[in-house]
Amino acid sequence: MNSASPQTEAAATQHVLFVVNNYPPRVGGVEVHVASLAREIVRRGHRATVLTLSDAESETMEHGIRVIRIPQGPSVGGVFAFPKRAAYRRAAARLRGDGITIVSTQTRFFPMTWKGIATARSLRVPVVHTEHGSDFVAGVPLVVGVASRLVDVTFGRRALRQADRVLGVSERVVAFVSRLAGVDARIFYNATAVPPVEPHEPPHKPDFVVVGRLVAGKGADRAIAAFARIAADHPGSRLVIVGDGPQRDSLVAAAAGLGIADRVEFRGRISQEAVMHELAGAVLVNPSTLSEGFQTTLIEAAASGAQIVTYPLAGVTALDAAGAPVHLVESLADDALATAMAAALDRPRPRWTAEAAEAWTWPGRAGEYLEILQDVNGRTPAHRP
């Protein structure tokens, strides 16, 4: 009887090392993506370790995932940060001989992505990189935009070229990867951990919901201006803004100036459960003009029985083709957004069926990811210079 080769055995049971700048309880699209994927990998009988940055050094088990947190140095905007060198070396040393089969990195411009690639080289295992950005950073001050583009065309491009496999969370992301680094990426759509609702639950409610950081380009200001145009014709509706950021005070003032302060509710940062409660049966307004990869909120909203009003961002076409109730806004004019918001409330599209939504949940997406890992592990790591 023939026995399985060591390579086959290694591919059968994976130990994925996710090397990321941020991880829950820090909240964001990439963080949710990694945490959901890691949890599902563990649920399927594999191992997952996360190496990430924090204020202090620690090692914990969270939902079956080994999470190693190391101190970070100074950061830019609370997001772009390097690990403290000695702490990273100690963490990397603990990973040797731990059976890591593959390193997973996320987004080209994070310092931990570059560290993850170096760690994979030292462990002699492949790198699967998932890209979440669909273009150069937009909606930022000129100096920040120039600096981020410089990072992209140097360290970011190098990271994409060094990875043994590159995944992109939407068609636009894949096209950007090709444009930036000349690398052929595979589409790996985002997903949600939210179970799809039954068609009759919950009832439609006359609320518009905006979810995201209150920063330039995310579009909360556009949503407020558009809501002001239709508020009188929809007296029972309100605009709920979920999230926080430097624009909050100016947005509060804008709502007051338009005479709708009593109809606009600022919820700040709330739990994921509370976000889903707000979205259930409502209308998600997604007026972002940033270089989004594939916002998980779009999937969560559709799975929660919400209508979706959005500009044609990355992933929207795929969701629309999958039957999600998308109301596309082609123009950036306030009246175009207002018209689409009113239509979503007055003439809602059929809700996503449970069957259609199931294909966009993490159990199915994790199975696809594990197949990719097995294929990569069956090849010799390229580790291109």
Side-chain angles (χ1 to χ4, degrees):
M1 183 174 64
N2 294 330
S3 59
S5 68
Q7 187 180 56
T8 302
E9 291 175 357
T13 301
Q14 302 288 347
H15 184 179
V16 186
L17 172 63
F18 293 91
V19 183
V20 292
N21 261 59
N22 302 298
Y23 188 76
R26 295 180 179 180
V27 178
V30 176
E31 292 88 332
V32 171
H33 177 106
V34 172
S36 300
L37 180 56
R39 190 178 302 189
E40 189 61 30
I41 285 173
V42 169
R43 194 188 70 80
R44 287 168 172 258
H46 301 271
R47 297 175 64 192
T49 296
V50 174
L51 180 57
T52 189
L53 301 182
S54 187
D55 296 327
E57 200 162 349
S58 67
E59 181 174 330
T60 58
M61 291 297 294
E62 302 172 16
H63 306 286
I65 304 161
R66 180 188 184 191
V67 182
I68 302 173
R69 292 183 172 88
I70 58 176
Q72 68 180 44
S75 66
V76 178
V79 175
F80 188 90
F82 285 86
K84 290 189 174 178
R85 188 174 301 176
Y88 192 94
R89 281 201 301 264
R90 287 194 298 270
R94 294 206 301 272
L95 295 169
R96 295 191 185 99
D98 200 29
I100 303 294
T101 59
I102 206 145
V103 170
S104 171
T105 57
Q106 314 283 321
T107 304
R108 69 210 176 270
F109 55 70
F110 282 127
M112 287 293 274
T113 291
W114 317 330
K115 285 288 190 179
I117 291 172
T119 299
R121 284 180 171 177
S122 69
L123 295 174
R124 302 185 64 81
V125 298
V127 177
V128 171
H129 175 83
T130 303
E131 185 54 50
H132 297 260
S134 61
D135 208 334
F136 296 108
V137 175
V140 294
L142 178 61
V143 65
V144 176
V146 171
S148 65
R149 186 174 289 244
L150 179 61
V151 170
D152 272 342
V153 300
T154 53
F155 295 105
R157 179 178 290 163
R158 182 180 177 87
L160 292 169
R161 290 176 175 174
Q162 285 188 321
D164 296 282
R165 184 70 56 86
V166 177
L167 311 178
V169 296
S170 74
E171 290 85 354
R172 287 192 182 187
V173 174
V174 166
F176 176 61
V177 168
S178 177
R179 190 168 79 251
L180 175 61
V183 172
D184 292 329
R186 167 177 170 165
I187 294 176
F188 181 70
Y189 289 123
N190 238 327
T192 178
V194 177
V197 300
E198 294 299 324
H200 60 281
E201 290 287 349
H204 286 294
K205 59 186 179 186
D207 290 342
F208 301 99
V209 183
V210 175
V211 180
R213 291 192 68 211
L214 305 185
V215 296
K218 269 295 190 179
D221 53 340
R222 295 179 183 274
I224 290 172
F227 179 63
R229 292 172 178 257
I230 62 174
D233 294 330
H234 299 83
S237 64
R238 61 178 182 151
L239 175 63
V240 180
I241 298 180
V242 176
D244 210 344
Q247 285 196 332
R248 176 168 179 149
D249 290 345
S250 63
L251 293 171
V252 171
L258 292 168
I260 55 172
D262 60 332
R263 306 273 300 277
V264 180
E265 182 177 340
F266 289 85
R267 294 293 310 279
R269 295 179 182 175
I270 58 179
S271 68
Q272 184 69 10
E273 182 180 358
V275 172
M276 303 320 301
H277 176 76
E278 294 292 350
L279 286 172
V283 177
L284 172 70
V285 183
N286 185 49
S288 175
T289 55
L290 300 180
S291 304
E292 309 279 6
F294 194 148
Q295 296 163 288
T296 310
T297 305
L298 297 174
I299 309 171
E300 293 170 344
S304 298
Q307 301 288 302
I308 299 171
V309 174
T310 182
Y311 296 128
L313 302 174
V316 169
T317 301
L319 279 179
D320 190 25
V326 174
H327 302 258
L328 200 59
V329 186
E330 297 286 358
S331 170
L332 294 180
D334 290 344
D335 58 347
L337 182 60
T339 298
M341 288 168 62
L345 203 61
D346 300 335
R347 299 181 300 280
R349 292 184 58 182
R351 289 176 173 171
W352 231 2
T353 64
E355 292 76 18
E358 195 67 40
W360 292 81
T361 59
W362 277 113
R365 200 67 81 234
E368 179 186 351
Y369 193 76
L370 287 167
E371 289 178 1
I372 293 169
L373 300 192
Q374 289 190 357
D375 178 64
V376 173
N377 264 320
R379 304 164 186 262
T380 301
H383 293 325
R384 293 174 289 275

